[in-house]
Amino acid sequence: MSRSDFEAVIGLEVHAELRTKTKIFCSCPTDFGAEPNTQCCPICMGLPGSMPSLNRRVVELAAMAGLALHCTVSPISRTDRKQYFYPDLPKAYQISQGEVPLCRNGYLVLKTAEGERRIGISRIHIEEDAGKLMHENGKTLIDYNRSGVPLIEIVSEPHLRSGREAADYLRTLRAILVSCGVTDGKMQEGSLRCDVNVSVRPVGMKTFGVRTEIKNLNSFTFVEKAIEYEIARQIALIERGEGVRMETRRYDAVSGETVLMRRKEQAEDYRFIVEPDLPPILLTETEIEALRQCLPEFPDARAARLVREYGLAEKDARTLCQDVALGNYFEAAAKSCAYPRLVSNLLLSELLRHCDGAEFVSPVSADRLAALADLMGEGTVNSATVKKLLLRLCEGDFDPRLVVEQEDLGQIRDKAKLRTVALEVIAENPRAVADYRNGKNAALRSLQGRLMAKTGGRAEPILSEKIMKELLKEEV
Ligand code: ADP
Ligand code: MG
Ligand code: ZN
């Protein structure tokens, strides 16, 4: 059997740190990068007798994540103690949500080569982050600044089928969460991290294979590579007749392999018990609706609206909506212009080439781009002139309509005038003329180019080409 005889089954558990000023159960700050152990108190260090109280913003942000991912948000949910011992968590339990999470039954729409796929999201729950262990010179140091930083865990259904698809899911998920302001999504700082569950089964088999879990992946590339490695490893095991064992693994970025961390003979038992120090989390319908109103317009919805409202090509609309600032700039220009498609064309095929940097910042104001599109749309200037004007606007601001008048840049649409220039071109370029008459259509473009040059790029292109063709036909 080969790789194509197997199907991979993948589910992701994504942890996202929420963008709150203070921690989940105390008022310590959540800022990243502070001196170790300068942002903690008895509550987030879990000292006996300290009492947690829930930061309401955590509930709001988690619910927004749920709404953005089409989940049902529970009007009542609760917190539980997930019990385990590890020094990064001195209480020996993590306050999380077990049986009754805040959000359930959602999905994310994934764009794939074969079309759109819905990836189910089984649950989103709130929990506290643990401290960070640092291993130095044979000693282990602990920084509790991260302890008590609010997290949501987003658990997908096992609907993903390849490393690539899992990485795309994570990219899409991150974009959604960041655009809602739920998390800053900085993977290199650990504010978004991901555990992946992987199993394989022969194509056509209905039941799942035994899965392994790869912990704590913090880049899209690692997610993709770790999964692909793991799929190959599991297939090889099965083919050798050894079978896959349930275990937790980690990804070694240097070797590109997954490495055993610990065996799990069966599912871990965390002996969840209801957290006695916190009341149930309540959210009214009105509160949930108010949060829904706070959601931004997501790229897909925005692209569909741009197609509808401005008659853009779908591909262009999607490109414009990939970057919020780019979409905003387009809309600002298109609103005050009678030719929104021209705005989009000028923006995507000309202006973008003069912009660099991660976020779109235009060197030309939206009003000026709108004015250029109007001048071109109404036929005052041709596209060559518009491109030149756009370049000049990138250097410094001016009123394009005024400059077109002052410098006489308007299109030449006078037939007699165009005819005179065309005759000159024909007289001066006998070789191109002969080529054209011998069936070389490309020669027309060169003649047309000469005509443009002679008119300073101002000839109306369609009309002048028509005149040129007529003259070429006549004077044999
Ligand atoms: P646990 O309670 O052990 O964390 P869950 O049922 O919550 O297990 O599943 C954790 C993740 O593993 C989910 O994202 C789920 O989709 C995924 N998953 C479950 N079964 C499999 C499987 N056989 N192969 C791959 N992924 C799986
Ligand atoms: Mg789990
Ligand atoms: Zn604290």
Side-chain angles (χ1 to χ4, degrees):
M1 280 165 91
S2 74
R3 167 73 209 263
S4 60
D5 298 318
F6 287 91
E7 177 181 58
V9 173
I10 301 152
L12 264 56
E13 296 165 278
V14 175
H15 286 94
E17 283 184 355
L18 298 178
R19 268 180 66 181
T20 55
K21 291 206 174 65
T22 56
K23 291 187 180 178
I24 184 167
F25 300 124
C26 63
S27 49
C28 294
T30 53
D31 307 322
F32 181 81
E35 278 291 298
N37 299 309
T38 54
Q39 300 184 345
C40 27
C41 72
I43 297 172
C44 55
M45 288 192 299
L47 299 191
S50 61
M51 285 290 277
S53 74
L54 180 60
N55 178 345
R56 190 65 187 171
R57 189 68 190 144
V58 168
V59 179
E60 292 173 0
L61 290 176
M64 275 177 75
L67 293 170
L69 295 165
H70 313 278
C71 291
T72 307
V73 177
S74 314
I76 173 162
S77 67
R78 57 168 215 236
T79 48
D80 299 280
R81 293 183 175 182
K82 181 177 177 179
Q83 311 193 64
Y84 67 92
F85 174 73
Y86 201 63
D88 62 358
L89 191 81
K91 318 199 268 281
Y93 60 82
Q94 176 193 35
I95 303 180
S96 179
Q97 295 190 290
E99 289 277 289
V100 195
L102 188 69
C103 313
R104 267 189 280 221
N105 295 332
Y107 62 88
L108 174 152
V109 178
L110 196 62
K111 300 250 157 24
T112 70
E114 299 83 49
E116 291 185 349
R117 291 230 297 123
R118 269 191 190 194
I119 307 303
I121 289 179
S122 46
R123 56 184 283 151
I124 302 178
H125 64 256
I126 290 170
E127 61 189 27
E128 58 181 331
D129 209 344
K132 201 188 279 175
L133 299 188
M134 285 164 294
H135 308 281
E136 282 174 21
N137 311 324
K139 292 199 180 86
T140 297
L141 304 169
I142 311 181
D143 175 8
Y144 286 115
N145 283 351
R146 201 179 68 181
S147 174
V149 166
L151 293 177
I152 49 174
E153 179 173 339
I154 302 159
V155 183
S156 85
E157 298 285 353
H159 289 169
L160 297 157
R161 292 291 173 267
S162 70
R164 176 70 192 278
E165 206 171 83
D168 283 344
Y169 163 86
L170 191 58
R171 276 189 198 95
T172 312
L173 180 62
R174 180 182 176 280
I176 292 174
L177 297 177
V178 169
S179 69
C180 305
V182 166
T183 181
D184 66 18
K186 292 184 182 160
M187 299 186 77
Q188 67 289 1
E189 290 182 6
S191 57
L192 195 78
R193 20 190 225 270
C194 161
D195 302 338
V196 304
N197 295 269
V198 183
S199 64
V200 298
R201 60 181 172 188
V203 169
M205 190 160 112
K206 286 278 173 285
T207 51
F208 289 149
V210 175
R211 74 173 136 133
T212 61
E213 178 171 9
I214 312 162
K215 284 278 186 198
N216 252 324
L217 294 160
N218 65 353
S219 89
F220 301 121
T221 321
F222 291 169
V223 165
E224 179 166 348
K225 289 191 171 156
I227 291 174
E228 286 305 322
Y229 177 85
E230 187 59 18
I231 293 171
R233 190 188 70 88
Q234 292 187 8
I235 292 174
L237 280 174
I238 293 169
E239 298 202 312
R240 286 205 301 271
E242 289 176 30
V244 177
R245 273 204 274 194
M246 204 152 120
E247 57 197 25
T248 303
R249 304 178 68 84
R250 66 179 174 81
Y251 180 64
D252 180 343
V254 178
S255 65
E257 297 173 352
T258 65
V259 190
L260 178 67
M261 281 169 77
R262 55 182 182 268
R263 293 246 147 80
K264 303 200 229 189
E265 298 312 329
Q266 64 262 322
E268 279 139 295
D269 181 5
Y270 294 108
R271 296 164 46 244
F272 277 100
I273 56 165
V274 174
E275 168 59 57
D277 290 340
L278 289 166
I281 301 172
L282 305 177
L283 269 172
T284 64
E285 273 311 310
T286 323
E287 285 171 308
I288 295 172
E289 275 321 299
L291 292 169
R292 200 189 296 279
Q293 295 309 313
C294 298
L295 292 179
E297 186 183 27
F298 291 108
D300 287 350
R302 187 177 203 185
R305 184 172 60 75
L306 294 192
V307 170
R308 223 170 37 240
E309 281 180 20
Y310 298 103
L312 299 190
E314 178 156 344
K315 185 165 160 280
D316 293 350
R318 282 194 186 288
T319 313
L320 290 172
C321 296
Q322 267 165 19
D323 179 335
V324 176
L326 181 62
N328 291 346
Y329 177 80
F330 166 76
E331 289 209 66
K335 270 200 190 90
S336 54
C337 173
Y339 306 93
R341 280 185 84 116
L342 281 180
V343 171
S344 153
N345 290 347
L346 283 174
L347 176 52
L348 293 177
S349 54
E350 299 299 321
L351 188 55
L352 266 193
R353 283 194 276 147
H354 307 293
C355 307
D356 37 39
E359 239 223 357
F360 171 78
V361 184
S362 173
V364 177
S365 78
D367 286 351
R368 296 302 193 216
L369 187 71
L372 288 182
D374 275 335
L375 283 167
M376 185 171 154
E378 73 203 20
T380 306
V381 297
N382 63 18
S383 71
T385 308
V386 155
K387 285 177 197 169
K388 278 188 215 149
L389 287 169
L390 188 59
L391 262 182
R392 274 170 66 180
L393 278 167
C394 290
E395 306 298 317
D397 187 55
F398 56 86
D399 178 345
R401 196 170 284 278
L402 208 65
V403 164
V404 167
E405 237 168 69
Q406 284 168 349
E407 301 182 13
D408 195 20
L409 302 176
Q411 282 200 112
I412 303 171
R413 278 180 287 183
D414 183 303
K415 279 191 188 154
K417 213 183 235 177
L418 290 174
R419 197 184 144 86
T420 313
V421 185
L423 284 170
E424 277 173 38
V425 171
I426 288 172
E428 289 162 12
N429 297 282
R431 161 131 357 128
V433 170
D435 283 350
Y436 178 75
R437 286 177 177 154
N438 289 329
K440 261 177 96 182
N441 281 328
L444 181 65
R445 216 173 316 131
S446 107
L447 292 168
Q448 189 58 27
R450 299 286 157 92
L451 182 139
M452 274 295 174
K454 272 183 175 289
T455 55
R458 290 166 53 217
E460 202 280 301
I462 297 172
L463 186 59
S464 53
E465 189 180 303
K466 197 168 148 246
I467 290 172
M468 179 75 82
K469 270 185 174 166
E470 278 166 11
L471 289 173
L472 285 166
K473 233 179 271 162
E474 278 169 22
E475 325 230 325
V476 187

